[in-house]
Amino acid sequence: MSGRGEIDRLVTLLGRLPGLGPRSARRAALALLRQPHARMLPLAQAMEQAARAVRTCSTCGNLDTTDPCAICADPTRDAGLVCVVENVGDLWALERAGVHRGVYQVLGGTLSALSGIGPDDLNVQPLLDRIAQGGVREVILALGATVEGATTMHWLHERLARFDIKISRVGQGVPVGGALDVLDDGTLAAAIMARRPA
C-alpha cells in the first residue's frame, strides 16, 4: 500500500511520547491525518517554532523562550524562597496550582543507582551558587515520595546544611478530599509521620 511509510513513521514517532502507547499513537495519528490543515499543519508549525525558540533557563533549569526564564526575571517573585523540583513538569504543576510565589531549581532528575543517575548528573550547582551569593533564606525540597526522591532530598540536605538557610520539604500524606480507606499504606504512614499540631 502506497504512503504507509509516512503514516507508520508518524505513528512510531507519536508512540515515543510519554503516555502514548501504540494504540493511542494510532488514534492520534488518525485524528491528525483526518484534518491535516486544521490539526496537523498548525501542530507541526508550533512544534518547529518551539524547537527553535525554547531554551533551558541557565538560572533554574525551567524551559522558556527567554534566559533567564519569565519566573526568574519576574521582580514580583520572592527570590529568597527557592523550591527544588525534579523536573519541569513538577514546576509547571506548582505554577498551575498557584501555590508557590518564589523561584525554582529544576534538578533534571533524582539520584538513582539503577538508572545510573549520580550527583554530577543533577542540576544543583546553580542552586549552590545562588545561595552562596546571598539572599536565599529558604529552600523547599519538593521531590516525589519515592526512594529516589527521599535519597535525593537527604543528599541535598547534607549539601545545604552548611548554609545559614531554612531547609523544608513539602508535606506528604492525605490529599485534600481524600478518604483514609482508599489510601495505600505508604501514604497513610507518611501522613501519620508528617502530622502537625491541630
Side-chain angles (χ1 to χ4, degrees), residues 186-197:
T187 302
L188 285 171
I192 294 296
M193 297 292 288
R195 66 188 182 278
R196 60 180 188 214

Side-chain angles (χ1 to χ4, degrees), residues 1 5 27 54 77 79 101 114 129 155 158-159 169 174:
M1 178 181 345
R27 284 194 299 272
V54 174
R77 302 296 290 232
R101 291 304 303 158
L114 292 175
D129 293 344
W155 178 81
E158 286 182 345
R159 299 303 168 283
R169 59 181 276 183
V174 181

Side-chain angles (χ1 to χ4, degrees), residues 173-175 177-189 191:
V174 181
L180 295 182
D181 62 345
V182 298
L183 298 177
D184 64 273
D185 294 346
T187 302
L188 285 171

Side-chain angles (χ1 to χ4, degrees), residues 47-156:
M47 291 174 68
E48 181 181 2
Q49 290 169 350
R52 293 179 195 276
V54 174
R55 56 186 52 99
T56 301
C57 176
S58 59
T59 303
C60 74
N62 188 18
L63 295 175
D64 203 338
T65 56
T66 60
D67 185 14
C69 70
I71 294 171
C72 289
D74 184 348
T76 66
R77 302 296 290 232
D78 184 352
L81 183 61
V82 182
C83 184
V84 177
V85 295
E86 179 180 347
N87 56 52
V88 174
D90 296 338
L91 183 156
W92 289 355
L94 288 167
E95 283 298 290
R96 187 176 58 247
V99 295
H100 179 64
R101 291 304 303 158
V103 294
Y104 295 91
Q105 182 64 47
V106 179
L107 296 179
T110 53
L111 296 174
S112 173
L114 292 175
S115 299
I117 301 173
D120 293 339
D121 299 311
L122 300 181
N123 185 32
V124 175
Q125 194 57 49
L127 172 64
L128 300 177
D129 293 344
R130 274 197 273 179
I131 296 169
Q133 291 170 5
V136 174
R137 64 182 187 287
E138 182 177 356
V139 171
I140 303 168
L141 302 177
L143 303 176
T146 62
V147 171
E148 294 82 5
T151 302
T152 305
M153 280 193 278
H154 178 75
W155 178 81
L156 269 173

Side-chain angles (χ1 to χ4, degrees), residues 20-39:
L20 287 182
R23 289 177 58 190
S24 296
R26 281 192 297 276
R27 284 194 299 272
L30 189 57
L32 292 169
L33 291 167
R34 282 184 179 149
Q35 296 181 322
H37 294 290
R39 290 185 177 169

